[in-house]
Amino acid sequence: MIGSGFYRFGWIRGLGWIALALVLIGFMDALWQFELASIWEQWLPVTTDFSVTLPVSLAGSLIVILIALILIRLITRRVTIKM
């Protein structure tokens, strides 16, 4: 997603795609409650201290993956190949 954003929009807007990717990684991490959740709590006022069952984590992960794939498709739909 980051690579296609940089390829299509250049480096200034590409930085925005890095931020968007970090947000998606944060959602995925909050679903699975890994170590990154404690880092997000220091910067954001939102608490990530909630318990999620396995089916909810799987469904949420599939949703995040689908969002990322749809964004990549929207970015690369009409891109010209640079050689």
Side-chain angles (χ1 to χ4, degrees), residues 21-79:
L22 287 174
V23 168
L24 289 177
I25 289 171
F27 284 139
M28 188 77 78
D29 186 64
L31 286 172
W32 292 99
Q33 299 175 354
F34 286 176
E35 292 298 320
L36 190 58
S38 62
I39 295 172
W40 289 110
E41 286 177 350
Q42 294 174 2
W43 294 339
L44 300 174
V46 178
T47 180
T48 59
D49 189 28
F50 60 92
S51 62
V52 180
T53 62
L54 182 64
V56 174
S57 292
L58 289 173
S61 295
L62 286 175
I63 290 170
V64 170
I65 291 169
L66 283 174
I67 289 171
L69 290 174
I70 289 169
L71 286 173
I72 291 170
R73 176 66 182 139
L74 290 173
I75 294 169
T76 60
R77 183 182 309 167
R78 294 186 187 166
V79 92

